[in-house]
Amino acid sequence: MPTAAPNRLAEFSGAFADLGTFLPLVLGLIALNQFSPQGIFLGFGLFACATALYYRRPIPVQPMKVIAALVIAQQLTPGMMQASAMLMGIILLLLAASGAISWLSRQISQAISVGIQLAISLQLLWMGLKMMAGAPVLGFGAFALIFAARFFPLKYLAMPLVIALGMLWQYQSGAELGHSFNNTPWHLGWPDAADWSAAATLLVLPQLALTLTNAVIATSVMAKDKFPEDAARFSPKALATSSGLANLLLSPLGGAAMCHGAGGLAVQYHFGAREKWAGLIFGVTCLGIAIGWDQNIAWLLGLIPMAILGSLLSTAGLQLAWSKRFLDGKPYCLFVIGATAIVSLSVNAAAGLTVGMLLEFGRRQWQSQSQPG
């Protein structure tokens, strides 16, 4: 089937649709942890452009959420971030090269993947709601506009319009900017010896299960579903390799821990991204910010209200939550989805993955024993 000509407006809209996940974490690292703005945006720019050129579809690039959130919350150093990113890169490359990631993806059924996606989507939705609550009229109004726009032909205009209106409101109201930024100079870096062991226990272990499930396996499943003609390109091995290389090569340049993500793919696709252009637009924009970073760019980014970012984050959560399995799944499939999601929410993604795999193993055992000899 020939590919339709890309809609440039839709690609532009989709390019920035994942800002609700991207900006709060990235700006938090810059404003609260004194990370170099140039290093972080350089890393995302190079990763996004390379991803777009290789996959030729809107495969997103995101901060590793658990690592970024823990670094911000616990005021950890850039060296800890670098060590965790490099360790994640090494692990992902080893899993891809050994074939373990392919084996693992075969053990994780669609029901388990959907259950973990559901848990992550609910977390994103809840985070977005809390961010919107700070300015409810602005935040929930933007969320309603984005939701209503899906029923109109120019729905791709909704996201850039919402961001522009939010920045205008912030400027006109004279409200205090939601972010303050440093000018930590860009430089090559390398973690201290103490950073490696601390990063492995504090950051890498909590992040690993989420990366394997959401950034690799769930993204692979979703990409194959949305772009079946290119399904072979989106193998778990390929996604683990691209994430691994990005973290290993770009973290010494000041890049944050980065990955792909099913939520980002869901929201970018919703806002019209279908080709490589969305990733290239986002990547070139990040490179431009890295090269030209100054107080004017910092001020401009600070104009984006947190409530607007919350509306984008909640939209990403809603898009990620939905799956065809809710309609065509058998009762036991729905039970596995629910159990996996509940345990992932109440404990963590690793526990949810374990419970889901145990339930699926039990089902296979029961089916094999119930079949006539």
Side-chain angles (χ1 to χ4, degrees), residues 141-178:
F143 181 76
L145 176 61
I146 291 172
F147 183 81
R150 63 188 302 177
F151 302 107
F152 295 92
L154 294 179
K155 64 179 180 180
Y156 307 126
L157 287 173
M159 193 276 302
L161 179 63
V162 158
I163 293 178
L165 290 176
M167 296 173 72
L168 181 62
W169 173 86
Q170 183 93 348
Y171 177 75
Q172 293 289 352
S173 67
E176 184 179 353
L177 297 185

PDB file of all heavy atoms in Angstrom, residues 141-178:
ATOM      1  N   GLY A 141      -9.715  23.950  30.846  1.00  0.00           N
ATOM      2  CA  GLY A 141     -10.205  24.523  29.591  1.00  0.00           C
ATOM      3  C   GLY A 141      -9.384  24.049  28.410  1.00  0.00           C
ATOM      4  O   GLY A 141      -9.926  23.695  27.357  1.00  0.00           O
ATOM      5  N   ALA A 142      -8.057  24.018  28.584  1.00  0.00           N
ATOM      6  CA  ALA A 142      -7.177  23.528  27.514  1.00  0.00           C
ATOM      7  C   ALA A 142      -7.429  22.051  27.249  1.00  0.00           C
ATOM      8  O   ALA A 142      -7.479  21.617  26.091  1.00  0.00           O
ATOM      9  CB  ALA A 142      -5.716  23.757  27.906  1.00  0.00           C
ATOM     10  N   PHE A 143      -7.614  21.290  28.310  1.00  0.00           N
ATOM     11  CA  PHE A 143      -7.876  19.857  28.151  1.00  0.00           C
ATOM     12  C   PHE A 143      -9.176  19.627  27.387  1.00  0.00           C
ATOM     13  O   PHE A 143      -9.245  18.779  26.489  1.00  0.00           O
ATOM     14  CB  PHE A 143      -7.940  19.196  29.527  1.00  0.00           C
ATOM     15  CG  PHE A 143      -8.180  17.717  29.483  1.00  0.00           C
ATOM     16  CD1 PHE A 143      -7.163  16.848  29.133  1.00  0.00           C
ATOM     17  CD2 PHE A 143      -9.419  17.199  29.787  1.00  0.00           C
ATOM     18  CE1 PHE A 143      -7.371  15.481  29.099  1.00  0.00           C
ATOM     19  CE2 PHE A 143      -9.651  15.832  29.751  1.00  0.00           C
ATOM     20  CZ  PHE A 143      -8.622  14.974  29.411  1.00  0.00           C
ATOM     21  N   ALA A 144     -10.207  20.402  27.719  1.00  0.00           N
ATOM     22  CA  ALA A 144     -11.495  20.259  27.025  1.00  0.00           C
ATOM     23  C   ALA A 144     -11.375  20.646  25.559  1.00  0.00           C
ATOM     24  O   ALA A 144     -11.967  20.005  24.679  1.00  0.00           O
ATOM     25  CB  ALA A 144     -12.549  21.131  27.721  1.00  0.00           C
ATOM     26  N   LEU A 145     -10.589  21.689  25.268  1.00  0.00           N
ATOM     27  CA  LEU A 145     -10.403  22.127  23.885  1.00  0.00           C
ATOM     28  C   LEU A 145      -9.686  21.050  23.074  1.00  0.00           C
ATOM     29  O   LEU A 145     -10.077  20.738  21.941  1.00  0.00           O
ATOM     30  CB  LEU A 145      -9.603  23.427  23.856  1.00  0.00           C
ATOM     31  CG  LEU A 145      -9.246  23.975  22.468  1.00  0.00           C
ATOM     32  CD1 LEU A 145     -10.514  24.281  21.669  1.00  0.00           C
ATOM     33  CD2 LEU A 145      -8.392  25.243  22.602  1.00  0.00           C
ATOM     34  N   ILE A 146      -8.647  20.462  23.657  1.00  0.00           N
ATOM     35  CA  ILE A 146      -7.912  19.403  22.959  1.00  0.00           C
ATOM     36  C   ILE A 146      -8.815  18.208  22.703  1.00  0.00           C
ATOM     37  O   ILE A 146      -8.806  17.614  21.617  1.00  0.00           O
ATOM     38  CB  ILE A 146      -6.678  18.991  23.781  1.00  0.00           C
ATOM     39  CG1 ILE A 146      -5.646  20.122  23.795  1.00  0.00           C
ATOM     40  CG2 ILE A 146      -6.040  17.723  23.212  1.00  0.00           C
ATOM     41  CD1 ILE A 146      -4.479  19.874  24.729  1.00  0.00           C
ATOM     42  N   PHE A 147      -9.632  17.848  23.698  1.00  0.00           N
ATOM     43  CA  PHE A 147     -10.516  16.699  23.537  1.00  0.00           C
ATOM     44  C   PHE A 147     -11.584  16.969  22.484  1.00  0.00           C
ATOM     45  O   PHE A 147     -11.868  16.121  21.631  1.00  0.00           O
ATOM     46  CB  PHE A 147     -11.189  16.363  24.871  1.00  0.00           C
ATOM     47  CG  PHE A 147     -12.076  15.149  24.812  1.00  0.00           C
ATOM     48  CD1 PHE A 147     -11.535  13.879  24.903  1.00  0.00           C
ATOM     49  CD2 PHE A 147     -13.445  15.285  24.652  1.00  0.00           C
ATOM     50  CE1 PHE A 147     -12.341  12.753  24.840  1.00  0.00           C
ATOM     51  CE2 PHE A 147     -14.261  14.168  24.585  1.00  0.00           C
ATOM     52  CZ  PHE A 147     -13.712  12.904  24.673  1.00  0.00           C
ATOM     53  N   ALA A 148     -12.169  18.185  22.515  1.00  0.00           N
ATOM     54  CA  ALA A 148     -13.232  18.515  21.560  1.00  0.00           C
ATOM     55  C   ALA A 148     -12.699  18.626  20.146  1.00  0.00           C
ATOM     56  O   ALA A 148     -13.409  18.335  19.174  1.00  0.00           O
ATOM     57  CB  ALA A 148     -13.915  19.814  21.972  1.00  0.00           C
ATOM     58  N   ALA A 149     -11.424  19.022  20.003  1.00  0.00           N
ATOM     59  CA  ALA A 149     -10.855  19.251  18.671  1.00  0.00           C
ATOM     60  C   ALA A 149     -10.776  17.977  17.849  1.00  0.00           C
ATOM     61  O   ALA A 149     -10.734  18.044  16.617  1.00  0.00           O
ATOM     62  CB  ALA A 149      -9.466  19.871  18.799  1.00  0.00           C
ATOM     63  N   ARG A 150     -10.797  16.823  18.509  1.00  0.00           N
ATOM     64  CA  ARG A 150     -10.674  15.566  17.765  1.00  0.00           C
ATOM     65  C   ARG A 150     -11.869  15.328  16.850  1.00  0.00           C
ATOM     66  O   ARG A 150     -11.790  14.518  15.929  1.00  0.00           O
ATOM     67  CB  ARG A 150     -10.538  14.399  18.740  1.00  0.00           C
ATOM     68  CG  ARG A 150     -11.750  14.196  19.627  1.00  0.00           C
ATOM     69  CD  ARG A 150     -11.497  13.168  20.704  1.00  0.00           C
ATOM     70  NE  ARG A 150     -11.114  11.884  20.161  1.00  0.00           N
ATOM     71  CZ  ARG A 150     -10.790  10.838  20.903  1.00  0.00           C
ATOM     72  NH1 ARG A 150     -10.776  10.946  22.215  1.00  0.00           N
ATOM     73  NH2 ARG A 150     -10.487   9.691  20.335  1.00  0.00           N
ATOM     74  N   PHE A 151     -12.962  16.043  17.060  1.00  0.00           N
ATOM     75  CA  PHE A 151     -14.170  15.863  16.259  1.00  0.00           C
ATOM     76  C   PHE A 151     -14.254  16.859  15.097  1.00  0.00           C
ATOM     77  O   PHE A 151     -15.257  16.908  14.394  1.00  0.00           O
ATOM     78  CB  PHE A 151     -15.423  15.998  17.131  1.00  0.00           C
ATOM     79  CG  PHE A 151     -15.457  15.023  18.269  1.00  0.00           C
ATOM     80  CD1 PHE A 151     -15.238  15.448  19.568  1.00  0.00           C
ATOM     81  CD2 PHE A 151     -15.673  13.671  18.042  1.00  0.00           C
ATOM     82  CE1 PHE A 151     -15.260  14.551  20.631  1.00  0.00           C
ATOM     83  CE2 PHE A 151     -15.696  12.758  19.097  1.00  0.00           C
ATOM     84  CZ  PHE A 151     -15.487  13.209  20.393  1.00  0.00           C
ATOM     85  N   PHE A 152     -13.198  17.664  14.915  1.00  0.00           N
ATOM     86  CA  PHE A 152     -13.212  18.691  13.882  1.00  0.00           C
ATOM     87  C   PHE A 152     -12.048  18.479  12.915  1.00  0.00           C
ATOM     88  O   PHE A 152     -11.014  17.920  13.288  1.00  0.00           O
ATOM     89  CB  PHE A 152     -13.129  20.088  14.509  1.00  0.00           C
ATOM     90  CG  PHE A 152     -14.320  20.444  15.349  1.00  0.00           C
ATOM     91  CD1 PHE A 152     -14.319  20.182  16.711  1.00  0.00           C
ATOM     92  CD2 PHE A 152     -15.448  21.005  14.778  1.00  0.00           C
ATOM     93  CE1 PHE A 152     -15.417  20.495  17.496  1.00  0.00           C
ATOM     94  CE2 PHE A 152     -16.548  21.321  15.554  1.00  0.00           C
ATOM     95  CZ  PHE A 152     -16.543  21.066  16.913  1.00  0.00           C
ATOM     96  N   PRO A 153     -12.206  18.942  11.668  1.00  0.00           N
ATOM     97  CA  PRO A 153     -11.167  18.693  10.653  1.00  0.00           C
ATOM     98  C   PRO A 153      -9.801  19.262  11.011  1.00  0.00           C
ATOM     99  O   PRO A 153      -8.782  18.675  10.680  1.00  0.00           O
ATOM    100  CB  PRO A 153     -11.746  19.365   9.394  1.00  0.00           C
ATOM    101  CG  PRO A 153     -13.217  19.418   9.630  1.00  0.00           C
ATOM    102  CD  PRO A 153     -13.398  19.587  11.098  1.00  0.00           C
ATOM    103  N   LEU A 154      -9.760  20.417  11.671  1.00  0.00           N
ATOM    104  CA  LEU A 154      -8.486  21.065  11.983  1.00  0.00           C
ATOM    105  C   LEU A 154      -8.014  20.714  13.387  1.00  0.00           C
ATOM    106  O   LEU A 154      -7.483  21.553  14.112  1.00  0.00           O
ATOM    107  CB  LEU A 154      -8.614  22.587  11.825  1.00  0.00           C
ATOM    108  CG  LEU A 154      -8.865  23.082  10.408  1.00  0.00           C
ATOM    109  CD1 LEU A 154      -8.998  24.594  10.379  1.00  0.00           C
ATOM    110  CD2 LEU A 154      -7.751  22.633   9.462  1.00  0.00           C
ATOM    111  N   LYS A 155      -8.191  19.455  13.794  1.00  0.00           N
ATOM    112  CA  LYS A 155      -7.810  19.058  15.145  1.00  0.00           C
ATOM    113  C   LYS A 155      -6.309  19.221  15.385  1.00  0.00           C
ATOM    114  O   LYS A 155      -5.867  19.369  16.525  1.00  0.00           O
ATOM    115  CB  LYS A 155      -8.218  17.608  15.401  1.00  0.00           C
ATOM    116  CG  LYS A 155      -7.506  16.582  14.532  1.00  0.00           C
ATOM    117  CD  LYS A 155      -7.960  15.176  14.873  1.00  0.00           C
ATOM    118  CE  LYS A 155      -7.247  14.134  14.014  1.00  0.00           C
ATOM    119  NZ  LYS A 155      -7.693  12.760  14.338  1.00  0.00           N
ATOM    120  N   TYR A 156      -5.508  19.213  14.310  1.00  0.00           N
ATOM    121  CA  TYR A 156      -4.063  19.326  14.479  1.00  0.00           C
ATOM    122  C   TYR A 156      -3.637  20.714  14.955  1.00  0.00           C
ATOM    123  O   TYR A 156      -2.517  20.891  15.421  1.00  0.00           O
ATOM    124  CB  TYR A 156      -3.360  18.995  13.159  1.00  0.00           C
ATOM    125  CG  TYR A 156      -3.770  17.676  12.583  1.00  0.00           C
ATOM    126  CD1 TYR A 156      -4.247  17.575  11.283  1.00  0.00           C
ATOM    127  CD2 TYR A 156      -3.697  16.520  13.342  1.00  0.00           C
ATOM    128  CE1 TYR A 156      -4.628  16.349  10.749  1.00  0.00           C
ATOM    129  CE2 TYR A 156      -4.076  15.290  12.820  1.00  0.00           C
ATOM    130  CZ  TYR A 156      -4.543  15.206  11.530  1.00  0.00           C
ATOM    131  OH  TYR A 156      -4.925  13.999  11.008  1.00  0.00           O
ATOM    132  N   LEU A 157      -4.534  21.680  14.839  1.00  0.00           N
ATOM    133  CA  LEU A 157      -4.221  23.024  15.313  1.00  0.00           C
ATOM    134  C   LEU A 157      -4.407  23.167  16.819  1.00  0.00           C
ATOM    135  O   LEU A 157      -3.942  24.139  17.415  1.00  0.00           O
ATOM    136  CB  LEU A 157      -5.111  24.056  14.606  1.00  0.00           C
ATOM    137  CG  LEU A 157      -4.800  24.358  13.140  1.00  0.00           C
ATOM    138  CD1 LEU A 157      -5.871  25.258  12.556  1.00  0.00           C
ATOM    139  CD2 LEU A 157      -3.430  25.022  13.018  1.00  0.00           C
ATOM    140  N   ALA A 158      -5.100  22.226  17.442  1.00  0.00           N
ATOM    141  CA  ALA A 158      -5.489  22.388  18.835  1.00  0.00           C
ATOM    142  C   ALA A 158      -4.279  22.501  19.760  1.00  0.00           C
ATOM    143  O   ALA A 158      -4.213  23.390  20.615  1.00  0.00           O
ATOM    144  CB  ALA A 158      -6.376  21.226  19.267  1.00  0.00           C
ATOM    145  N   MET A 159      -3.313  21.610  19.595  1.00  0.00           N
ATOM    146  CA  MET A 159      -2.188  21.593  20.515  1.00  0.00           C
ATOM    147  C   MET A 159      -1.321  22.851  20.420  1.00  0.00           C
ATOM    148  O   MET A 159      -1.074  23.510  21.429  1.00  0.00           O
ATOM    149  CB  MET A 159      -1.367  20.326  20.293  1.00  0.00           C
ATOM    150  CG  MET A 159      -0.356  20.029  21.399  1.00  0.00           C
ATOM    151  SD  MET A 159       1.188  20.905  21.217  1.00  0.00           S
ATOM    152  CE  MET A 159       1.698  20.332  19.608  1.00  0.00           C
ATOM    153  N   PRO A 160      -0.857  23.264  19.215  1.00  0.00           N
ATOM    154  CA  PRO A 160      -0.087  24.518  19.167  1.00  0.00           C
ATOM    155  C   PRO A 160      -0.906  25.729  19.593  1.00  0.00           C
ATOM    156  O   PRO A 160      -0.373  26.657  20.197  1.00  0.00           O
ATOM    157  CB  PRO A 160       0.348  24.625  17.700  1.00  0.00           C
ATOM    158  CG  PRO A 160      -0.440  23.624  16.950  1.00  0.00           C
ATOM    159  CD  PRO A 160      -0.872  22.580  17.907  1.00  0.00           C
ATOM    160  N   LEU A 161      -2.230  25.711  19.307  1.00  0.00           N
ATOM    161  CA  LEU A 161      -3.079  26.828  19.725  1.00  0.00           C
ATOM    162  C   LEU A 161      -3.163  26.906  21.240  1.00  0.00           C
ATOM    163  O   LEU A 161      -3.081  27.997  21.828  1.00  0.00           O
ATOM    164  CB  LEU A 161      -4.476  26.664  19.117  1.00  0.00           C
ATOM    165  CG  LEU A 161      -5.507  27.740  19.485  1.00  0.00           C
ATOM    166  CD1 LEU A 161      -5.044  29.102  18.969  1.00  0.00           C
ATOM    167  CD2 LEU A 161      -6.879  27.378  18.928  1.00  0.00           C
ATOM    168  N   VAL A 162      -3.306  25.771  21.886  1.00  0.00           N
ATOM    169  CA  VAL A 162      -3.403  25.737  23.344  1.00  0.00           C
ATOM    170  C   VAL A 162      -2.114  26.260  23.978  1.00  0.00           C
ATOM    171  O   VAL A 162      -2.144  27.051  24.924  1.00  0.00           O
ATOM    172  CB  VAL A 162      -3.713  24.297  23.815  1.00  0.00           C
ATOM    173  CG1 VAL A 162      -3.304  24.087  25.265  1.00  0.00           C
ATOM    174  CG2 VAL A 162      -5.196  24.001  23.643  1.00  0.00           C
ATOM    175  N   ILE A 163      -0.963  25.839  23.455  1.00  0.00           N
ATOM    176  CA  ILE A 163       0.309  26.308  24.004  1.00  0.00           C
ATOM    177  C   ILE A 163       0.463  27.814  23.798  1.00  0.00           C
ATOM    178  O   ILE A 163       0.864  28.546  24.714  1.00  0.00           O
ATOM    179  CB  ILE A 163       1.475  25.546  23.370  1.00  0.00           C
ATOM    180  CG1 ILE A 163       1.441  24.072  23.800  1.00  0.00           C
ATOM    181  CG2 ILE A 163       2.810  26.171  23.761  1.00  0.00           C
ATOM    182  CD1 ILE A 163       2.534  23.229  23.184  1.00  0.00           C
ATOM    183  N   ALA A 164       0.130  28.297  22.590  1.00  0.00           N
ATOM    184  CA  ALA A 164       0.249  29.732  22.299  1.00  0.00           C
ATOM    185  C   ALA A 164      -0.667  30.555  23.203  1.00  0.00           C
ATOM    186  O   ALA A 164      -0.258  31.594  23.745  1.00  0.00           O
ATOM    187  CB  ALA A 164      -0.066  29.986  20.833  1.00  0.00           C
ATOM    188  N   LEU A 165      -1.908  30.115  23.366  1.00  0.00           N
ATOM    189  CA  LEU A 165      -2.844  30.843  24.226  1.00  0.00           C
ATOM    190  C   LEU A 165      -2.381  30.825  25.680  1.00  0.00           C
ATOM    191  O   LEU A 165      -2.518  31.822  26.403  1.00  0.00           O
ATOM    192  CB  LEU A 165      -4.246  30.240  24.105  1.00  0.00           C
ATOM    193  CG  LEU A 165      -4.960  30.474  22.770  1.00  0.00           C
ATOM    194  CD1 LEU A 165      -6.295  29.737  22.744  1.00  0.00           C
ATOM    195  CD2 LEU A 165      -5.180  31.961  22.524  1.00  0.00           C
ATOM    196  N   GLY A 166      -1.833  29.695  26.117  1.00  0.00           N
ATOM    197  CA  GLY A 166      -1.324  29.617  27.486  1.00  0.00           C
ATOM    198  C   GLY A 166      -0.163  30.572  27.717  1.00  0.00           C
ATOM    199  O   GLY A 166      -0.094  31.242  28.755  1.00  0.00           O
ATOM    200  N   MET A 167       0.757  30.650  26.760  1.00  0.00           N
ATOM    201  CA  MET A 167       1.882  31.572  26.889  1.00  0.00           C
ATOM    202  C   MET A 167       1.407  33.015  26.873  1.00  0.00           C
ATOM    203  O   MET A 167       1.920  33.867  27.625  1.00  0.00           O
ATOM    204  CB  MET A 167       2.888  31.313  25.763  1.00  0.00           C
ATOM    205  CG  MET A 167       3.535  29.936  25.824  1.00  0.00           C
ATOM    206  SD  MET A 167       4.564  29.536  24.383  1.00  0.00           S
ATOM    207  CE  MET A 167       5.967  30.626  24.668  1.00  0.00           C
ATOM    208  N   LEU A 168       0.414  33.313  26.014  1.00  0.00           N
ATOM    209  CA  LEU A 168      -0.142  34.671  25.974  1.00  0.00           C
ATOM    210  C   LEU A 168      -0.798  35.019  27.297  1.00  0.00           C
ATOM    211  O   LEU A 168      -0.623  36.136  27.814  1.00  0.00           O
ATOM    212  CB  LEU A 168      -1.156  34.771  24.829  1.00  0.00           C
ATOM    213  CG  LEU A 168      -1.825  36.142  24.639  1.00  0.00           C
ATOM    214  CD1 LEU A 168      -0.777  37.201  24.289  1.00  0.00           C
ATOM    215  CD2 LEU A 168      -2.883  36.065  23.537  1.00  0.00           C
ATOM    216  N   TRP A 169      -1.556  34.070  27.868  1.00  0.00           N
ATOM    217  CA  TRP A 169      -2.197  34.314  29.162  1.00  0.00           C
ATOM    218  C   TRP A 169      -1.147  34.579  30.247  1.00  0.00           C
ATOM    219  O   TRP A 169      -1.288  35.495  31.060  1.00  0.00           O
ATOM    220  CB  TRP A 169      -3.043  33.103  29.543  1.00  0.00           C
ATOM    221  CG  TRP A 169      -3.605  33.187  30.926  1.00  0.00           C
ATOM    222  CD1 TRP A 169      -4.763  33.784  31.323  1.00  0.00           C
ATOM    223  CD2 TRP A 169      -3.001  32.672  32.122  1.00  0.00           C
ATOM    224  NE1 TRP A 169      -4.921  33.665  32.682  1.00  0.00           N
ATOM    225  CE2 TRP A 169      -3.858  32.986  33.198  1.00  0.00           C
ATOM    226  CE3 TRP A 169      -1.824  31.956  32.383  1.00  0.00           C
ATOM    227  CZ2 TRP A 169      -3.562  32.622  34.509  1.00  0.00           C
ATOM    228  CZ3 TRP A 169      -1.531  31.599  33.694  1.00  0.00           C
ATOM    229  CH2 TRP A 169      -2.395  31.928  34.735  1.00  0.00           C
ATOM    230  N   GLN A 170      -0.080  33.784  30.250  1.00  0.00           N
ATOM    231  CA  GLN A 170       0.971  33.947  31.258  1.00  0.00           C
ATOM    232  C   GLN A 170       1.618  35.319  31.118  1.00  0.00           C
ATOM    233  O   GLN A 170       1.910  35.986  32.118  1.00  0.00           O
ATOM    234  CB  GLN A 170       2.018  32.848  31.084  1.00  0.00           C
ATOM    235  CG  GLN A 170       3.118  32.855  32.115  1.00  0.00           C
ATOM    236  CD  GLN A 170       2.824  31.965  33.296  1.00  0.00           C
ATOM    237  OE1 GLN A 170       1.699  31.505  33.450  1.00  0.00           O
ATOM    238  NE2 GLN A 170       3.802  31.742  34.129  1.00  0.00           N
ATOM    239  N   TYR A 171       1.836  35.730  29.889  1.00  0.00           N
ATOM    240  CA  TYR A 171       2.478  37.035  29.656  1.00  0.00           C
ATOM    241  C   TYR A 171       1.561  38.186  30.038  1.00  0.00           C
ATOM    242  O   TYR A 171       1.977  39.133  30.724  1.00  0.00           O
ATOM    243  CB  TYR A 171       2.878  37.135  28.185  1.00  0.00           C
ATOM    244  CG  TYR A 171       3.495  38.459  27.808  1.00  0.00           C
ATOM    245  CD1 TYR A 171       4.808  38.760  28.179  1.00  0.00           C
ATOM    246  CD2 TYR A 171       2.772  39.414  27.080  1.00  0.00           C
ATOM    247  CE1 TYR A 171       5.383  39.972  27.834  1.00  0.00           C
ATOM    248  CE2 TYR A 171       3.335  40.629  26.743  1.00  0.00           C
ATOM    249  CZ  TYR A 171       4.642  40.903  27.121  1.00  0.00           C
ATOM    250  OH  TYR A 171       5.196  42.111  26.794  1.00  0.00           O
ATOM    251  N   GLN A 172       0.295  38.117  29.601  1.00  0.00           N
ATOM    252  CA  GLN A 172      -0.643  39.209  29.852  1.00  0.00           C
ATOM    253  C   GLN A 172      -0.998  39.330  31.327  1.00  0.00           C
ATOM    254  O   GLN A 172      -1.211  40.432  31.846  1.00  0.00           O
ATOM    255  CB  GLN A 172      -1.932  38.989  29.037  1.00  0.00           C
ATOM    256  CG  GLN A 172      -1.747  39.108  27.531  1.00  0.00           C
ATOM    257  CD  GLN A 172      -1.494  40.537  27.081  1.00  0.00           C
ATOM    258  OE1 GLN A 172      -1.601  41.475  27.844  1.00  0.00           O
ATOM    259  NE2 GLN A 172      -1.141  40.707  25.812  1.00  0.00           N
ATOM    260  N   SER A 173      -1.073  38.197  32.012  1.00  0.00           N
ATOM    261  CA  SER A 173      -1.481  38.233  33.419  1.00  0.00           C
ATOM    262  C   SER A 173      -0.363  38.702  34.330  1.00  0.00           C
ATOM    263  O   SER A 173      -0.611  39.076  35.487  1.00  0.00           O
ATOM    264  CB  SER A 173      -1.937  36.836  33.863  1.00  0.00           C
ATOM    265  OG  SER A 173      -0.846  35.925  33.862  1.00  0.00           O
ATOM    266  N   GLY A 174       0.861  38.661  33.823  1.00  0.00           N
ATOM    267  CA  GLY A 174       1.988  39.060  34.654  1.00  0.00           C
ATOM    268  C   GLY A 174       2.272  38.079  35.771  1.00  0.00           C
ATOM    269  O   GLY A 174       2.960  38.413  36.739  1.00  0.00           O
ATOM    270  N   ALA A 175       1.740  36.859  35.642  1.00  0.00           N
ATOM    271  CA  ALA A 175       1.957  35.843  36.676  1.00  0.00           C
ATOM    272  C   ALA A 175       3.427  35.459  36.722  1.00  0.00           C
ATOM    273  O   ALA A 175       4.153  35.557  35.735  1.00  0.00           O
ATOM    274  CB  ALA A 175       1.100  34.613  36.394  1.00  0.00           C
ATOM    275  N   GLU A 176       3.856  35.033  37.897  1.00  0.00           N
ATOM    276  CA  GLU A 176       5.243  34.602  38.056  1.00  0.00           C
ATOM    277  C   GLU A 176       5.511  33.397  37.166  1.00  0.00           C
ATOM    278  O   GLU A 176       4.691  32.472  37.074  1.00  0.00           O
ATOM    279  CB  GLU A 176       5.504  34.235  39.519  1.00  0.00           C
ATOM    280  CG  GLU A 176       6.944  33.859  39.794  1.00  0.00           C
ATOM    281  CD  GLU A 176       7.182  33.529  41.255  1.00  0.00           C
ATOM    282  OE1 GLU A 176       6.248  33.731  42.054  1.00  0.00           O
ATOM    283  OE2 GLU A 176       8.290  33.064  41.585  1.00  0.00           O
ATOM    284  N   LEU A 177       6.644  33.394  36.501  1.00  0.00           N
ATOM    285  CA  LEU A 177       6.976  32.296  35.613  1.00  0.00           C
ATOM    286  C   LEU A 177       7.076  30.999  36.399  1.00  0.00           C
ATOM    287  O   LEU A 177       7.524  30.972  37.541  1.00  0.00           O
ATOM    288  CB  LEU A 177       8.300  32.561  34.889  1.00  0.00           C
ATOM    289  CG  LEU A 177       8.328  33.782  33.954  1.00  0.00           C
ATOM    290  CD1 LEU A 177       9.667  33.835  33.230  1.00  0.00           C
ATOM    291  CD2 LEU A 177       7.193  33.761  32.972  1.00  0.00           C
ATOM    292  N   GLY A 178       6.632  29.916  35.742  1.00  0.00           N
ATOM    293  CA  GLY A 178       6.624  28.620  36.417  1.00  0.00           C
ATOM    294  C   GLY A 178       8.008  28.020  36.576  1.00  0.00           C
ATOM    295  O   GLY A 178       8.189  27.079  37.340  1.00  0.00           O
TER     296      GLY A 178
END
